[in-house]
Amino acid sequence: MDQETKKHTVAKAALNFIEDGMIIGVGTGTTVDFFIEELENVKSRIEGAVASSESTNKKLKQKGIPVLELNSTGDLELYVDGADEATKHLHLLKGGGGALTREKIIAQASRRFVCVVDDTKLVDRLGRFPLPLEVIPMARSAVAREIVKIGGTPEWRSNYQTDNGNAILDVHHLQISDPSSLETLLNQIPGVVTNGIFAKRPADVLLVATESGVDSYT
Ligand code: 5RP
């Protein structure tokens, strides 16, 4: 089974968590794109969706799914999103698509976070994939110098702006042995808006597509 088929399979499996009348938080990325395709088939059962990016917003609207604002929905029952890396402890590394801030906001505001990945994303320890940091543009170099002090190698994602008008630093070579502590530490650096470690608010359910089906971790 190729990676695209696995992404589609695991995205479809997330439909099992939908209950009638729900407002669903919808993440960003190629795996979630398959979820949006599948969501179209059950759209009459849901009240609407909250989008984690402008790109997801557009795709949901194209499928005729009502897009609501988090400011008016209150907390959500369900959030479905992908990840760049995931562990069996349900810690995630996210932000390859640059939507990490809105994704983290929606994850925090959701009672159940179902993360959908294929088995290439499952790791024993986070950090092989460069860790994205969303930073205020004028703080980019200052934050980069702080990152070097803690052993990381920051790389500016040039010619890229987040939906919030900020920059992204992709940080290589960080040892993420304690994801929750590093998440907190990075948040203390002035100019960092969000980092891509999702450990303080991890997934509640991790669905992993493999050659033989979909494994579930809780
Ligand atoms: C976007 C993300 C995505 O969830 C992550 O990049 C995975 O994307 P894909 O499903 O395309 O592999 O965090 O900011």
Side-chain angles (χ1 to χ4, degrees), residues 24-78:
I24 299 163
V26 181
T28 298
T30 53
T31 314
V32 165
D33 288 347
F34 285 118
F35 179 69
I36 295 170
E37 264 181 40
E38 294 294 333
L39 200 55
E40 184 183 17
N41 301 324
V42 297
K43 66 182 176 191
S44 59
R45 288 181 49 206
I46 63 169
E47 199 177 318
V50 172
S52 66
S53 62
E54 296 304 329
S55 146
T56 290
N57 188 353
K58 196 168 148 201
K59 288 169 186 167
L60 287 165
K61 285 180 175 161
Q62 278 168 353
K63 298 289 184 195
I65 297 164
V67 178
L68 308 168
E69 291 295 325
L70 187 64
N71 281 323
S72 54
T73 59
D75 284 351
L76 306 178
E77 290 298 327
L78 177 67

Side-chain angles (χ1 to χ4, degrees), residues 25-28 50-58 67-70 76 79-81 94-95 97-110 113 134 160-166 168 193-196 198:
V26 181
T28 298
V50 172
S52 66
S53 62
E54 296 304 329
S55 146
T56 290
N57 188 353
K58 196 168 148 201
V67 178
L68 308 168
E69 291 295 325
L70 187 64
L76 306 178
Y79 178 48
V80 177
D81 197 359
K94 290 182 47 54
L100 61 165
T101 298
R102 296 187 189 190
E103 291 173 341
K104 203 175 267 199
I105 291 166
I106 299 177
Q108 183 67 34
S110 298
F113 176 7
E134 178 163 357
Y160 181 82
Q161 194 181 53
T162 69
D163 287 344
N164 312 307
N166 294 317
I168 295 276
V193 178
T194 318
N195 70 80
F198 283 55

